[in-house]
Amino acid sequence: MTSEVALGRAGALLTIDLDAIVENWRRLQARGAPAECGAVLKADAYGLGAAPVGRALSAAGARSFFVAHLEEGIALRAVLDEPRIVVLNGLLPGLAADYTAHDLIPALNDPGEIAAWAGHARALGTALPGFVHLDTGMNRLGLSPDDQDRLAADPSVLDGIGPITWMTHLACAEDTGNPMSRAQLDRFHRAVARLPPAPVSIANSSGIFLGQDFHGDLTRPGAALYGINPTPDRPNPMAGVVRVEARILQTRRVDTPMTVGYGAAHRVKGPARLATIAVGYADGVPRAASGRGAVRIAGFTAPITGRISMDLITVDVTHIPETLAAPGALAEVLGPELTPDRLGESAGTIGYEILTSLGLRYARRYVGGVE
């Protein structure tokens, strides 16, 4: 199916390569071996569709999935029967039965959650699995050092929870020279040494590339699965996953002293030809990339000119043959050269934010996988 056909009535097309996601998971699995390689599917698999991504990864052999919210876990369980699904944001008050009803495992982030999950297990008369999150410096979620001391002094509060996985989360793993990662790892090992023996989970996407010391028993890659570079100081070891193509709606000739877009923010310096494209910040192209980002048209780079608006961007196509940059032609907004990382950099943000902001107005096309 051609991009033009797949577009249908939409202004732009988002193509998601499930085979590339599976290949990235396999690369990460090999890099972190012999640890099990899980998959983080929070935020609807970083905006790319938790159901199709989850099915493709499960078919490839992934057996541990992670989401942020309870509702995300419930939705994922509806399409995945066997793999374990861990809810990273923890156990919501009074809703323990919802987790067991959908066979979900909470990350236990504070003593109250541990007590509630253990109590629920005792009420059911069966052991319930749990990931116990030990904070080692992120200072976001997880048991504080004082909480860890109390748990080490009285591990009986864990009675009813099993099997247990000890987990932590790295704050600076993408910065390979930052000493914080090693400091966190040392804190984690000291904490775990005082607790009942159990598997451990440490590394996120970038953490996998810090070396075997960080692999533990289970890795938790997220962004790298979707093509984001987990090693920003080195070439990207991951396959590209997404392509965004948008229609050229109109072209026009302009000359000085004409201006372009809201706020008359761009003043034309000479004769030029502009193309207006059917994508904007409502579709995840950040307004902050105005005057800094670019698109690709028929192999040419066309810089964004003027402010990005909600539904439209305008690009300079003066140097592109008119037959190639004409109404109805497609401009590549994301792709092999214009990666989410690159667009994020042009907007002063990160590729993660680009993917999770892509929005609902695209025609979506999945290629490969089990779809």
Side-chain angles (χ1 to χ4, degrees):
M1 181 186 296
T2 66
S3 295
E4 290 82 357
V5 171
L7 263 169
R9 298 171 178 168
L13 172 66
L14 170 60
T15 301
I16 299 158
D17 188 339
L18 295 172
D19 285 345
I21 294 175
V22 168
E23 173 60 24
N24 286 338
W25 178 77
R26 288 177 173 147
R27 292 180 190 182
L28 294 163
Q29 181 186 49
R31 184 86 184 198
E36 177 191 351
C37 187
V40 178
L41 270 61
K42 62 184 181 179
D44 197 29
Y46 288 57
L48 303 185
V53 170
R55 283 194 289 263
L57 288 173
S58 179
R63 288 295 172 264
S64 295
F65 293 87
F66 298 85
V67 296
H69 297 288
L70 173 58
E71 287 293 346
E72 291 178 337
I74 292 171
L76 187 59
R77 178 57 74 202
V79 298
L80 297 181
D81 293 331
E82 296 181 2
R84 62 178 170 177
I85 300 173
V86 181
V87 180
L88 294 169
N89 279 12
L91 183 66
L92 294 177
L95 296 177
D98 291 46
Y99 293 76
T100 49
H102 297 280
D103 191 19
L104 303 175
I105 303 171
L108 303 170
N109 292 309
D110 64 46
E113 292 183 14
I114 291 174
W117 194 238
H120 185 56
R122 290 192 293 272
L124 294 177
T126 186
L128 294 175
F131 276 56
V132 180
H133 185 175
L134 309 177
D135 179 54
T136 55
M138 178 73 86
N139 288 307
R140 199 176 58 172
L141 291 176
L143 274 67
S144 70
D146 288 344
D147 293 334
Q148 295 168 35
D149 289 342
R150 286 187 283 269
L151 182 60
D154 183 17
S156 68
V157 299
L158 297 166
D159 290 350
I161 302 175
I164 288 172
T165 300
W166 306 116
M167 66 171 285
T168 195
H169 192 56
L170 300 171
C172 304
E174 71 283 354
D175 181 2
T176 55
N178 195 312
M180 186 167 183
S181 295
R182 177 60 61 174
Q184 284 191 263
L185 182 67
D186 292 343
R187 291 187 200 113
F188 182 67
H189 283 320
R190 287 196 298 271
V192 169
R194 299 183 297 151
L195 296 168
V200 300
S201 179
I202 304 163
N204 53 8
S205 290
S206 296
I208 293 172
F209 292 83
L210 292 177
Q212 191 169 7
D213 289 351
F214 290 84
H215 294 164
D217 300 292
L218 170 65
T219 61
R220 308 188 310 272
L225 294 171
Y226 311 110
I228 299 296
N229 188 356
T231 57
D233 57 341
R234 286 171 277 169
N236 192 351
M238 314 316 300
V241 168
V242 297
R243 184 186 296 268
V244 168
E245 300 163 284
R247 299 180 196 267
I248 295 177
L249 299 177
Q250 189 176 92
T251 61
R252 67 178 59 229
R253 295 187 180 277
V254 294
D255 201 348
T256 54
M258 300 170 79
T259 61
V260 182
Y262 282 121
H266 177 80
R267 185 172 296 279
V268 177
K269 295 180 180 179
R273 191 159 46 87
L274 305 179
T276 299
I277 298 169
V279 71
Y281 60 73
D283 308 292
V285 182
R287 189 172 181 269
S290 299
R292 300 176 62 191
V295 303
R296 296 277 291 175
I297 299 173
F300 294 87
T301 299
I304 294 173
T305 302
R307 288 183 184 169
I308 295 169
S309 59
M310 184 180 293
D311 314 301
L312 303 167
I313 60 175
T314 304
V315 301
D316 189 329
V317 295
T318 307
H319 58 298
I320 303 177
E322 291 190 39
T323 55
L324 299 179
L330 296 182
E332 184 179 274
V333 180
L334 290 175
E337 294 188 40
L338 301 177
T339 64
D341 289 315
R342 183 173 171 183
L343 177 57
E345 183 179 6
S346 72
T349 185
I350 56 177
Y352 299 60
E353 187 173 356
I354 300 301
L355 290 185
T356 58
S357 301
L358 288 175
L360 302 175
R361 301 198 298 186
Y362 292 101
R364 288 197 172 210
R365 174 176 62 182
Y366 290 93
V367 296
V370 293
E371 289 298 293

